[in-house]
Amino acid sequence: MLGEPAQPKMRSMTAFHTIIEPFRIHSVEPIRMTTREERIAALEAAGFNLFRLKSEDVAIDLLTDSGTGAMSRDQWAGIQRGDESYAGSPSWYRFEAAVKHLFPFKHVIPTHQGRAAERILFSQLGGEGKTVPNNTHFDTTRANVEFTGARAIDLVIAEGQDPTSEHPFKGNMDLGALELVLSTEHVPVVFMTVTNNAGGGQPVSLENLRGVRALCDRFGVPLFLDACRFAENAYFIKHREPGQSERTITDIVREMASYADGMTMSAKKDPMANIGGWLALNDDRLAERCKTMLILTGGFTTYGGLAGRDLEAIAQGLEEVVQEEYLRYRICSTAYLGDALADVGVPIVRPIGGHAVFLDARQLLPHIDPLEYPGQALAVALYREGGIRSCEIGTIMFGRRPDGTEVPAAMDLVRLAIPRRTYTQSQLDYVVEVVGHVAEHADELRGYAITQEPPQLRHFTATFAEL
Ligand code: F0G
């Protein structure tokens, strides 16, 4: 008698070494190729500020991962379904349910992007004489706090400011420092940015969130999340924090939310939309004041300055971003870029963050003083040599204090932010080649001086001259 036919050995796809993009391309956008001469002319016309370039003159745009990702088929289908009723649209209810599924706060207030949520919240909680601690404020968050007259302070753990430290949760808050601030200053709210964008896209652990929550409880101060990259943070928790590996991303996200009293959000990041955001919170009275501000400046409470179709795209994006397959690809493709850059000798912030690889410009360009902006020198060179647009996250962005004086920022980094589901592996290979080439010629780069700057958020519009 013949035996059972041998079963072919089956391996799940994840058992193979190559991690593939869990999607295929449905619609393409052309990239315009430019010459070095054209790029030099474009830089001069832009006053050497990469924000002032025409995006058509950029080959690989790593300026930001904000609103620049590719939407899915189902998000575009949602765009068609969008209902533009002024009040109570079904698209609003779908959006609200998708937000509350992950972040079960009592009130959800839609806004046109993250900073609109920040502005509304800090208009109510900020003011002279107050201090807002955060692990690290992002630029618009800091500016919105300072605009009200309050002080914004960054209390990330010491490892979070050391580009070489391999600490798994470099976004964590320094609990001792937070306790000191809570006991000596007037703190209306504590913020935690997950992941910590300005600090290198580094995650915050559940354990640290619990510690911050306990301190907030002791001092009777609310805790808010700046949750732009919450899903990437949850993925890091799943893979790095003891005891978390069997949980779903959704479950971890809900636990993160459970420690907070509210959140601000940019839907242009992990919710995978091109526009949008929200403020969510439990406090009824504060919510009422915030909703009034929204109606005054953004729109009615069921659309908040967004079109109904945008609300649909966000709701769908929230379902897609917590999928493990997507997050594995996302985190691993960012790590692929970072590891390849490290292999060719480029100093980067370690461990590699979720949405971006951060180049350590201060280490690569020790001959350029921080006040002559090594990050700018590197970012300009990446564009000039290879048409790659990146973003300085250093002394230009954070070095100017509210009184107008200037100090070196904690780090001088250049961020290569990866738009979600947008660039292929060969495009990332090209980035590695260009950055490697620039790094080989690092000693030829020169610093910059600012020729004109506004009093706030100067990195967006300042102009520069090469020294
Ligand atoms: N908070 C964080 C941590 C951010 O990264 C951003 C935006 C915001 C708030 C503001 O959100 O842009 O929707 O108003 N970061 C983008 C970036 C711009 O490039 O990292 P927004």
Side-chain angles (χ1 to χ4, degrees):
M1 207 178 144
L2 290 173
E4 290 283 315
Q7 291 289 323
K9 275 215 178 96
M10 296 300 286
R11 307 182 76 191
S12 82
M13 288 177 66
T14 53
F16 289 100
H17 178 70
T18 307
I19 293 164
I20 61 171
E21 289 83 355
F23 51 81
R24 58 187 175 202
I25 294 167
H26 174 69
S27 170
V28 296
E29 290 179 277
I31 290 176
R32 198 171 83 80
M33 302 296 170
T34 51
T35 63
R36 191 169 186 274
E37 288 65 37
E38 284 173 325
R39 294 194 293 273
I40 288 172
L43 279 170
E44 278 165 8
F48 294 93
N49 184 333
L50 302 181
F51 282 98
R52 297 167 75 115
L53 289 174
K54 292 182 179 153
S55 65
E56 284 188 328
D57 293 336
V58 175
I60 308 284
D61 203 346
L62 308 183
L63 181 68
T64 177
D65 63 323
S66 180
T68 51
M71 290 211 295
S72 67
R73 174 192 63 193
D74 294 343
Q75 283 180 294
W76 285 109
I79 294 269
Q80 283 297 320
R81 199 170 46 218
D83 180 304
E84 304 305 337
S85 302
Y86 188 93
S89 148
S91 300
W92 152 253
Y93 288 109
R94 185 158 181 247
F95 166 86
E96 187 191 31
V99 172
K100 286 191 174 180
H101 177 67
L102 292 169
F103 303 100
F105 296 113
K106 208 165 152 194
H107 304 276
V108 178
I109 300 174
T111 60
H112 75 274
Q113 59 181 77
R115 69 198 69 181
E118 293 165 4
R119 186 181 124 62
I120 290 173
L121 184 70
F122 292 122
S123 74
Q124 301 306 309
L125 294 183
E128 297 280 341
K130 297 182 185 174
T131 301
V132 177
N134 199 321
N135 44 358
T136 311
H137 289 85
F138 195 62
D139 57 353
T140 59
T141 326
R142 168 173 291 279
N144 270 300
V145 170
E146 290 174 350
F147 190 72
T148 70
R151 194 162 77 96
I153 49 166
D154 297 337
L155 301 179
V156 74
I157 55 170
E159 291 89 334
Q161 297 198 21
D162 170 4
T164 61
S165 161
E166 290 283 352
H167 191 291
F169 291 103
K170 284 171 80 172
N172 282 354
M173 186 84 92
D174 181 333
L175 297 178
L178 179 62
E179 184 175 4
L180 187 66
V181 170
L182 284 166
S183 53
T184 53
E185 300 192 34
H186 181 182
V187 176
V189 60
V190 172
F191 253 79
M192 281 291 264
T193 304
V194 295
T195 58
N196 191 23
N197 181 7
Q202 302 292 333
V204 171
S205 68
L206 287 174
E207 187 192 19
N208 190 250
L209 276 173
R210 272 183 225 116
V212 173
R213 172 78 257 169
L215 282 171
C216 286
D217 282 342
R218 221 174 90 205
F219 289 90
V221 173
L223 169 61
F224 271 60
L225 300 177
D226 175 347
C228 298
R229 300 175 180 85
F230 69 94
E232 293 172 6
N233 198 92
Y235 185 88
F236 283 123
I237 287 174
K238 177 167 173 138
H239 291 273
R240 293 185 186 168
E241 192 157 354
Q244 303 302 322
S245 62
E246 299 303 316
R247 298 178 70 186
T248 64
I249 297 295
T250 299
D251 197 26
I252 295 173
V253 171
R254 287 212 193 104
E255 184 174 340
M256 286 160 56
S258 75
Y259 299 125
D261 301 289
M263 68 190 293
T264 56
M265 185 70 185
S266 168
K268 303 171 74 171
K269 281 84 174 178
D270 271 353
M272 304 220 258
N274 299 131
I275 197 72
W278 68 85
L279 167 64
L281 67 169
N282 288 330
D283 182 324
D284 295 331
R285 287 184 51 207
L286 180 58
E288 171 138 16
R289 279 154 49 204
C290 291
K291 284 179 191 173
T292 303
M293 277 298 291
L294 177 75
I295 296 173
L296 203 63
T297 59
F300 186 60
T301 54
T302 64
Y303 73 87
L306 294 167
R309 54 182 172 271
D310 301 324
L311 296 170
E312 292 276 352
I314 298 166
Q316 178 61 31
L318 284 174
E319 282 179 30
E320 293 173 13
V321 76
V322 291
Q323 289 170 12
E324 190 94 28
E325 296 271 282
Y326 160 73
L327 283 169
R328 180 184 306 112
Y329 144 76
R330 170 72 173 160
I331 301 299
C332 293
S333 56
T334 304
Y336 172 85
L337 174 63
D339 287 336
L341 287 170
D343 286 348
V344 296
V346 178
I348 60 167
V349 174
R350 304 220 42 109
I352 295 156
H355 68 299
V357 175
F358 288 70
L359 312 179
D360 187 347
R362 196 175 285 174
Q363 192 187 331
L364 183 67
L365 305 172
H367 59 289
I368 300 181
D369 186 88
L371 294 179
E372 293 177 354
Y373 316 126
Q376 184 68 5
L378 179 56
V380 168
L382 296 182
Y383 176 71
R384 188 179 55 227
E385 301 310 321
I388 296 167
R389 178 155 68 169
S390 56
C391 184
E392 191 260 13
I393 300 217
T395 302
I396 295 174
M397 190 179 277
F398 294 116
R400 193 187 151 112
R401 293 194 292 205
D403 65 5
T405 56
E406 190 166 14
V407 288
M411 298 186 271
D412 274 297
L413 306 177
V414 169
R415 185 182 72 171
L416 307 178
I418 326 280
R420 292 169 182 76
R421 306 187 291 206
T422 303
Y423 288 113
T424 63
Q425 183 172 336
S426 63
Q427 288 165 332
L428 295 184
D429 289 338
Y430 171 79
V431 173
V432 174
E433 191 180 341
V434 172
V435 180
H437 170 80
V438 169
E440 266 175 42
H441 298 272
D443 54 355
E444 295 163 24
L445 299 187
R446 282 177 289 153
Y448 282 80
I450 291 180
T451 49
Q452 161 270 315
E453 64 178 319
Q456 261 131 16
L457 293 170
R458 63 182 182 172
H459 50 290
F460 289 115
T461 55
T463 51
F464 302 87
E466 196 172 19
L467 291 169

